[in-house]
Amino acid sequence: MPEILVTVYDVFMRTYPGFLEATVVTLQLTAIGVILGTVIGLVFALMKISGSKILQAIANIYITIIRGTPLIVQIMFLYFGIVEIYTMSNFWAGAIALGIHNGAYIAEIFRGSIQGIDPGQREASMSLGMGRRQTMSRIVFPQALRRSIPPLGNQFIITLKDSSLVYIIGVAEIFSLGNREAAQSYQPFESFMVVALYYLVLVMIFTFLLRLYENKLDVDKA
């Protein structure tokens, strides 16, 4: 067992410059995927709670398709579909695929947070003369945003791990580099152990930061 740990350490020391660069790519993919997914999710959440049956149907179809198909299939479908129409780097194709995938889950997060606000607050605000838009922007959205922070944080961590799937289209992120190192060094166990350590450290850091942010906002009282 100690010999294995020594070998893992050797692999780590030999590959850390490349893995640090790959970590930056992974974080960029994750950030773009979450930001784009948040925008898409908010739009489709509003469509789903709107009074329009057409908008609700569009939102339901989007969410059903995205949640019902594997992310790796979506990445391949989007990548090869986009390059047929528009020249795009594999990085941006992967980031957009992550954003579209996240959008379906974030839409449900926002929808649940918005509909979870006590309807009595809306009635009270409207009785004071506020319109629907003012009620949503001043009363509902601020509370819904605070309630959505914990599941959004979890979605960020899920996206961080899901970003490993973009290796399939040649993006040089953490898993891709680990896969290449395993093939070149003939040390698959040690190489993927190093990969696991990088993901574990990143997840632990972001979990810690998320807890600090939640405590600062005192989310449980939202």
Side-chain angles (χ1 to χ4, degrees):
M1 188 65 180
E3 293 182 2
I4 294 177
L5 294 178
V6 170
T7 307
V8 170
Y9 178 76
D10 290 340
V11 172
F12 175 83
M13 294 304 296
R14 185 177 71 250
T15 60
Y16 81 87
F19 269 112
L20 290 179
E21 294 180 5
T23 298
V24 173
V25 175
T26 294
L27 293 176
Q28 290 173 336
L29 285 167
T30 303
I32 295 171
V34 170
I35 293 172
L36 180 59
T38 299
V39 174
I40 295 173
L42 181 58
V43 171
F44 279 92
L46 294 175
M47 290 171 63
K48 196 163 183 179
I49 64 175
S50 69
S52 171
K53 291 185 178 181
I54 295 176
L55 293 180
Q56 290 176 0
I58 294 173
N60 286 329
I61 291 171
Y62 161 71
I63 292 171
T64 300
I65 292 175
I66 296 300
R67 296 180 68 176
T69 55
L71 173 56
I72 194 167
V73 174
Q74 296 168 18
I75 292 172
M76 297 290 285
F77 181 83
L78 183 65
Y79 176 64
F80 289 106
I82 287 179
V83 296
E84 289 290 334
I85 303 171
Y86 178 76
T87 302
M88 178 179 293
S89 68
N90 52 4
F91 172 87
W92 279 105
I96 292 172
L98 286 171
I100 294 174
H101 181 80
N102 278 312
Y105 292 90
I106 294 176
E108 289 296 278
I109 292 173
F110 282 141
R111 180 196 59 77
S113 298
I114 292 172
Q115 292 183 332
I117 303 300
D118 185 1
Q121 295 188 37
R122 303 181 193 183
E123 295 172 2
S125 63
M126 289 183 177
S127 67
L128 293 174
M130 288 188 182
R132 178 179 173 82
R133 289 187 179 180
Q134 284 184 313
T135 299
M136 293 295 288
S137 62
R138 296 184 182 182
I139 306 297
V140 177
F141 280 156
Q143 296 181 76
L145 180 60
R146 292 179 68 185
R147 289 189 177 191
S148 65
I149 287 174
L152 283 176
N154 291 333
Q155 190 63 36
F156 183 91
I157 292 172
I158 291 171
T159 305
L160 176 65
K161 293 182 287 186
D162 283 349
S163 67
S164 62
L165 294 176
V166 302
Y167 89 95
I168 197 69
I169 57 174
V171 180
E173 42 70 60
I174 294 175
F175 184 83
S176 175
L177 190 63
N179 200 36
R180 189 187 314 159
E181 174 62 24
Q184 292 176 350
S185 66
Y186 298 100
Q187 294 176 307
F189 177 83
E190 293 85 351
S191 299
F192 288 114
M193 179 66 76
V194 171
V195 170
L197 288 173
Y198 274 98
Y199 281 114
L200 180 61
V201 169
L202 289 174
V203 168
M204 291 176 66
I205 290 173
F206 284 113
T207 300
F208 175 73
L209 293 176
L210 177 62
R211 293 286 160 76
L212 286 181
Y213 191 59
E214 288 178 10
N215 293 334
K216 182 178 180 180
L217 292 180
D218 203 4
V219 173
D220 291 337
K221 293 183 179 180

